[in-house]
Amino acid sequence: YDTSNVVIRACETAYNLGAGIHYERARLGTIINNVSHHNHKRGIYLSNSSDCLVAHNICYKNGMSGIVAYGGMRPGDTKWVGAAGIVPARRNRIFGNILVENVNPRLMPTEWGRRRPELILPDPGQGKELFGDNQSDYNIFYRGEESFPFWFNYGDQQWSSLESWSASTGNDAQS
């Protein structure tokens, strides 16, 4: 929380009541070569964090999405505050990860359906200076025969397939 230059490498995170890896209101994080599974919430969660690399991780069977880079209109007292005192969530790179069968029916909140994404990115429509230039590519997504959506934030904008997500946003063209 409110830190920078943290490296999380080659860890297994499992069976937590929260997220497997939670990097919040921070920047310049490197989350690489980890395995995150069977956590009650997200596999990897960046909350209002910027300039992070999330690469070559495996996230499976978590209760919520596999990887979430969230950017909300969150006022902050951190030294990295952007325009209007909002903590930014920009310039994150989500590359080469494997996300499989997240939104695990045994762990997800009961009021949710399985129509939740494996990956969520910040919505640049809320302001590119605060939430722009996030990129995702070369990832593998799998959830059996079931299709699943892709979202900006928690459903601010939604796409019904990898193809529509990629065509509209430019993300995951090689995924």
Side-chain angles (χ1 to χ4, degrees):
Y1 185 87
D2 208 10
T3 189
S4 68
N5 294 306
V6 172
V7 175
I8 302 169
R9 179 185 316 235
C11 295
E12 178 183 18
T13 58
Y15 306 102
N16 293 298
L17 293 179
I21 297 171
H22 189 143
Y23 198 67
E24 185 163 359
R25 285 181 41 167
R27 61 192 297 267
L28 298 169
T30 301
I31 300 170
I32 190 166
N33 293 329
N34 299 287
V35 177
S36 183
H37 63 94
H38 293 95
N39 297 292
H40 280 256
K41 294 199 175 177
R42 301 151 192 94
I44 297 173
Y45 184 41
L46 305 179
S47 177
N48 282 79
S49 295
S50 294
D51 303 300
C52 296
L53 173 65
V54 179
H56 310 295
N57 300 286
I58 300 171
C59 297
Y60 67 94
K61 297 281 185 180
N62 293 292
M64 296 166 79
S65 300
I67 297 175
V68 175
Y70 173 76
M73 299 302 278
R74 227 175 128 172
D77 53 3
T78 177
K79 57 188 165 194
W80 302 296
V81 169
I86 303 298
V87 180
R90 61 185 176 217
R91 297 186 303 264
N92 294 301
R93 304 294 181 254
I94 316 291
F95 291 146
N97 299 284
I98 300 172
L99 292 88
V100 175
E101 296 284 348
N102 290 289
V103 193
N104 183 339
R106 292 184 181 161
L107 297 175
M108 71 182 188
T110 55
E111 66 273 12
W112 291 6
R114 288 210 11 114
R115 292 293 306 156
R116 305 226 5 131
E118 293 284 332
L119 171 70
I120 297 173
L121 292 180
D123 184 355
Q126 290 186 355
K128 289 187 179 186
E129 180 186 339
L130 291 170
F131 306 113
D133 196 26
N134 292 288
Q135 296 177 358
S136 175
D137 211 348
Y138 301 99
N139 298 298
I140 296 172
F141 304 100
Y142 178 78
R143 196 182 289 169
E145 301 276 328
E146 179 184 5
S147 67
F148 52 89
F150 289 80
W151 292 357
F152 279 156
N153 280 348
Y154 293 117
D156 290 359
Q157 290 187 55
Q158 300 182 24
W159 293 265
S160 61
S161 67
L162 176 61
E163 293 77 19
S164 62
W165 161 258
S166 181
S168 178
T169 68
N171 286 305
D172 292 296
Q174 307 301 313
S175 294

